Amino acid sequence: MESVVWQGLALSGIFSWIVIACYFHVTNKLRSLLQPWASHHVVRGTSTILKIQKHQHRVLDALFSGLSCVVSVPFYTAFLPLLFWSGHGKLARQMTLLMAFCDYLGNCIKDVVSAPRPNCPPVRRITATKDEEDNALEYGLPSSHTLNTVCLSGFLVYYVLSYIQSEDACVKLGAVTLACLFVGLIGFGRIYLGMHSLIDIIGGLVIGLVILAIWLTVHEYVDAFIVSAQNVTSFWAALSFLLLFAYPTPEFPTPSFEYHTAFDGVAFGIVAGVQQTYQQFHHEAVPRIFTSQLTIPAFLGRMVVGIPTILMVKFCSKALAKWILPVVSNTLGIPIKSTSYIPMLNGSTTEKKSSEIKQSSYIHKMLFFSNQDLFDVDTGIRFLQYAGLAWSVVDLVPSLFSHLRL
């Protein structure tokens, strides 16, 4: 009963914040205070970036571009399923939720402040991958790469030290030192690549440390709630829905909301799947890699079976969502548009409003519905697509492993 009460209070609190933020235009007021300050520091930091880029070299270009890929959201999205299948389910689900928390909060701050990235030119910006090109379309403060690296590397160090139960001070100091050096390399690399100013890196570092401290305090409670509490799936569905509407409206549209929607879906799929199958596939006694119960060949077999399966589920989830959501919307009389997924819903009328509607006031649409509002159905499609993918990682694929004795 207590769990149900605090769930209701949490959802009511978020809903109340959405209403208050919309009514008092909190985002615009915060932006008017923070954006000039951040922009000033970005301009001042240009000289520092140019000094660093005087030492440019092809080796450094490749090194820092590679490091940026290693700590990117797509990399973690690909890495986390392998962590689940390796038997370290607790670490995997906690890192998934931490990643979702970092992604949401970091992108919210970016779009509230709407601070520019360093001007290019004079700064040389290196975007070696399509993912980096998309990242360059986002606002700068804070650096997501720095923020994510601080949180995930910090939590990984904490987990490993707890898992091996080492009391050796040298081991602890060495692990923390390596994590700090890695964070430093990532932050320096983002400046070298021309993707961020020094203020963005400092902001990512500070916010990351705050999030990490909070997560280390609450992660055991969150995990216990997911695996053993009541109404977990329904609560998380409502939470995910409210977070979509709570997302702030940026000064100009960016891909940040799309990234959040995808990882919001991943978090929901993981929570729903783990909550249903914890006793079968995710308890602490499951076989773990590098043991006689889960050998390297067996783990490779899991990869061969699991990766094609989750990709197929992702494709099918997207196809089903593209078919179901327009039907449901039309049934409920909700006018919709699609910016990319459904061409026939991207007509001249909606194209004219696309830049305005794609990330316009979501709370306005939810609370003050009018016939002129068009809902971008791509948001729902993207959410369900990634929720289906994540569910398959922790539910469908482990079931296949069980049947195949992998």
Side-chain angles (χ1 to χ4, degrees):
M1 184 63 185
E2 291 181 1
S3 176
V4 175
V5 171
W6 78 254
Q7 290 175 33
L9 290 175
L11 295 177
S12 299
I14 295 173
F15 181 80
S16 299
W17 163 250
I18 294 172
V19 175
I20 292 171
C22 176
Y23 185 80
F24 291 103
H25 306 287
V26 173
T27 298
N28 291 334
K29 291 179 179 178
L30 288 174
R31 183 178 299 134
S32 65
L33 293 173
L34 298 174
Q35 190 184 57
W37 173 84
S39 300
H40 172 71
H41 282 279
V42 170
V43 173
R44 284 187 58 185
T46 301
S47 59
T48 302
I49 301 174
L50 294 176
K51 289 178 182 178
I52 292 174
Q53 290 189 338
K54 285 182 179 180
H55 306 283
Q56 68 184 55
H57 193 277
R58 288 179 300 174
V59 174
L60 294 177
D61 292 355
L63 172 64
F64 291 124
S65 294
L67 285 175
S68 293
C69 292
V70 168
V71 297
S72 64
V73 171
F75 173 82
Y76 288 121
T77 305
F79 170 72
L80 289 171
L82 305 183
L83 197 56
F84 274 106
W85 302 337
S86 71
H88 292 277
K90 184 175 182 179
L91 173 62
R93 61 180 175 266
Q94 291 192 350
M95 288 191 70
T96 301
L97 296 180
L98 177 57
M99 185 70 192
F101 187 23
C102 292
D103 183 69
Y104 185 80
L105 191 57
N107 284 339
C108 278
I109 295 173
K110 280 188 178 187
D111 284 351
V112 166
V113 180
S114 295
R117 291 180 183 265
N119 286 331
C120 174
V123 169
R124 183 183 68 125
R125 183 169 296 156
I126 303 172
T127 52
T129 64
K130 178 63 167 63
D131 180 56
E132 280 289 81
E133 292 177 3
D134 292 340
N135 287 337
L137 300 176
E138 296 182 287
Y139 291 109
L141 178 68
S143 165
S144 296
H145 283 70
T146 305
L147 190 158
N148 294 341
T149 305
V150 168
C151 290
L152 296 177
S153 61
F155 184 75
L156 184 60
V157 167
Y158 168 83
Y159 180 87
V160 170
L161 292 176
S162 301
Y163 182 73
I164 64 177
Q165 296 181 341
S166 174
E167 297 297 330
D168 190 337
C170 292
V171 173
K172 295 180 178 180
L173 180 61
V176 173
T177 301
L178 285 175
C180 291
L181 288 174
F182 186 55
V183 171
L185 273 176
I186 295 299
F188 182 81
R190 300 307 286 171
I191 296 176
Y192 175 87
L193 295 173
M195 295 294 288
H196 286 287
S197 299
L198 180 61
I199 188 65
D200 302 336
I201 305 302
I202 295 173
L205 179 63
V206 172
I207 295 169
L209 289 172
V210 171
I211 293 176
L212 179 61
I214 294 172
W215 188 254
L216 291 177
T217 303
V218 304
H219 72 98
E220 291 290 356
Y221 299 103
V222 174
D223 195 64
F225 168 73
I226 291 171
V227 303
S228 61
Q230 297 178 338
N231 306 314
V232 175
T233 302
S234 57
F235 167 76
W236 213 275
L239 176 66
S240 300
F241 180 78
L242 286 177
L243 289 179
L244 291 176
F245 286 90
Y247 193 88
T249 305
E251 187 174 28
F252 299 103
T254 73
S256 297
F257 180 73
E258 298 175 9
Y259 298 156
H260 152 65
T261 302
F263 225 89
D264 193 19
V266 168
F268 173 70
I270 293 295
V271 169
V274 168
Q275 208 274 332
Q276 294 295 322
T277 62
Y278 176 74
Q279 296 299 333
Q280 292 94 331
F281 308 125
H282 303 290
H283 54 85
E284 290 302 298
V286 297
R288 292 181 174 174
I289 195 170
F290 303 127
T291 65
S292 59
Q293 294 177 303
L294 183 56
T295 60
I296 296 296
F299 180 69
L300 293 176
R302 289 187 171 194
M303 292 177 59
V304 170
V305 172
I307 292 175
T309 301
I310 64 174
L311 293 177
M312 186 182 304
V313 170
K314 180 184 176 183
F315 174 82
C316 294
S317 299
K318 181 178 179 179
L320 284 172
K322 288 170 64 176
W323 173 64
I324 292 173
L325 289 182
V327 172
V328 172
S329 299
N330 290 333
T331 301
L332 297 176
I334 302 173
I336 58 175
K337 67 183 288 290
S338 173
T339 53
S340 58
Y341 287 151
I342 306 177
M344 67 183 211
L345 294 178
N346 192 14
S348 58
T349 302
T350 57
E351 287 176 358
K352 183 177 179 181
K353 297 183 178 181
S354 61
S355 61
E356 175 185 347
I357 296 175
K358 187 174 182 181
Q359 291 193 29
S360 61
S361 180
Y362 300 103
I363 179 59
H364 175 82
K365 294 177 182 179
M366 181 172 69
L367 296 178
F368 309 105
F369 182 83
S370 68
N371 293 329
Q372 285 71 38
D373 286 330
L374 292 174
F375 290 76
D376 193 344
V377 75
D378 289 4
T379 298
I381 293 172
R382 188 174 294 108
F383 178 86
L384 293 177
Q385 174 187 4
Y386 282 90
L389 181 147
W391 166 82
S392 68
V393 168
V394 296
D395 193 332
L396 176 62
V397 171
S399 299
L400 293 178
F401 294 161
S402 179
H403 288 296
L404 296 174
R405 301 186 183 279
L406 288 173

